[in-house]
Amino acid sequence: MKREIVVVTSAYGNDRVAALGGQQALLPVIAAAGADGVEIRRELCSARELEDLGTLSAAIRARHLFACYSAPEPLFTASGQLNPLLPQLLAEAARLKARWLKLSLGEAPRTIAFDGLRDCLAPGSVALVIENDQTPNGRLAPMQRFQATCRVNALPVTLTFDMGNWLWVDDSPEQAARHLAPSVSYIHVKAASPHNGQFRAVPPDTSEPERWSALLRQLPDSVPRGIEFPLEGADLVAVTRRYVNLLREE
């Protein structure tokens, strides 16, 4: 079975997305590069686009791509409550006909309101995946606790494993993979290199390629891989195709 590759629209840079007229303008590039899916970023949608996600969905399907939807929102608020925007975000993902909605974890309480979360994730709704972000809540320990809670209580929530984000929070990507791999349903592929006392996302073949290749082998082989490192150059189709092929074969 062919490995599915997703291109995250923000990989082209927020300024370039805006200059091109929005995320829909990138669909021909992503399709021509041979990708299988596109990750639509809510923060890059205008108010008008959010009101007309059905049109964007139709454009995605016309290019024979599938969609996933990412929102810069936590599952839990700073006070440990379920994010009140969750039903709205799931509805937006449904209008986009997205396979899943991706959120960060936020301030997950030790005791989760299972019924409220289950109600939002009723059968037939869009799947929910939680990503390790670049905040303390995205560190391995809280992600492990949440993973265990979901497993014990049969909550239909899986994880997005962002390969590079672990470095931002001073955790080991390899250790995280050992603990979290069974719950991973989507991989954000990116390497990270030191930059001005912090890190910056880079393509996985430009910084410690052996390390990132080995990390991918620790993770489930059958789940989609998303390109979330910078895609730059005069010929965006060629640049994108190169990495689509690389990640499909890696």
Side-chain angles (χ1 to χ4, degrees):
M1 182 177 176
K2 183 179 74 170
R3 182 180 290 127
E4 291 182 320
I5 306 299
V6 176
V7 178
V8 182
T9 56
S10 59
Y12 298 101
N14 294 3
D15 291 343
R16 191 158 198 176
V17 172
L20 289 171
Q23 296 173 91
Q24 186 168 329
L26 289 165
L27 300 180
V29 172
I30 294 169
D36 303 285
V38 57
E39 182 178 313
I40 298 298
R41 307 287 288 216
R42 190 178 194 265
E43 67 269 27
L44 297 182
C45 291
S46 67
R48 181 176 179 179
E49 287 168 331
L50 283 176
E51 292 174 359
D52 194 18
L53 289 170
T55 296
L56 179 55
S57 174
I60 292 169
R61 295 197 309 276
R63 294 287 176 175
H64 305 290
L65 299 167
F66 69 83
C68 47
Y69 191 47
S70 172
E73 289 285 339
L75 179 60
F76 297 100
T77 66
S79 61
Q81 301 300 308
L82 195 63
N83 191 329
L85 289 177
L86 181 59
Q88 176 185 329
L89 297 173
L90 287 166
E92 290 173 1
R95 289 200 297 275
L96 191 62
K97 291 185 167 52
R99 284 192 186 178
W100 60 79
L101 166 68
K102 181 176 71 64
L103 304 175
S104 61
L105 180 58
E107 198 69 42
R110 296 288 177 151
T111 303
I112 294 174
F114 302 120
D115 291 341
L117 188 52
R118 280 202 181 91
D119 288 345
C120 289
L121 302 176
S125 68
V126 175
L128 177 64
V129 300
I130 300 301
E131 179 184 38
N132 58 292
D133 64 4
Q134 297 173 10
T135 73
N137 293 320
R139 298 199 69 190
L140 177 56
M143 295 295 289
Q144 275 188 279
R145 286 195 297 270
F146 181 69
Q147 173 204 38
T149 296
C150 290
R151 184 175 62 251
V152 169
N153 293 278
L155 289 170
V157 182
T158 54
L159 304 180
T160 292
F161 189 99
D162 188 296
M163 294 168 59
N165 279 356
W166 302 106
L167 298 184
W168 267 266
V169 296
D170 198 28
D171 271 341
S172 161
E174 292 80 9
Q175 183 181 6
R178 285 194 294 273
H179 289 286
L180 300 178
S183 295
V184 171
S185 64
Y186 180 39
I187 302 168
H188 260 189
V189 178
K190 69 168 178 266
S193 63
H195 180 69
N196 292 336
Q198 190 49 269
F199 290 92
R200 64 178 174 183
V202 296
D205 61 341
T206 61
S207 176
E208 300 183 281
E210 295 83 6
R211 178 188 189 183
W212 301 108
S213 180
L215 181 60
L216 273 174
R217 291 194 294 272
Q218 285 188 254
L219 297 168
D221 187 60
S222 59
V223 305
R225 295 176 173 182
I227 295 174
E228 207 208 12
F229 48 82
L231 294 172
E232 302 170 330
D235 188 340
L236 289 181
V237 172
V239 172
T240 306
R241 183 186 294 119
R242 176 181 173 227
Y243 285 110
V244 167
N245 292 338
L246 179 67
L247 294 185
R248 187 168 280 142
E249 296 166 5
E250 180 68 51

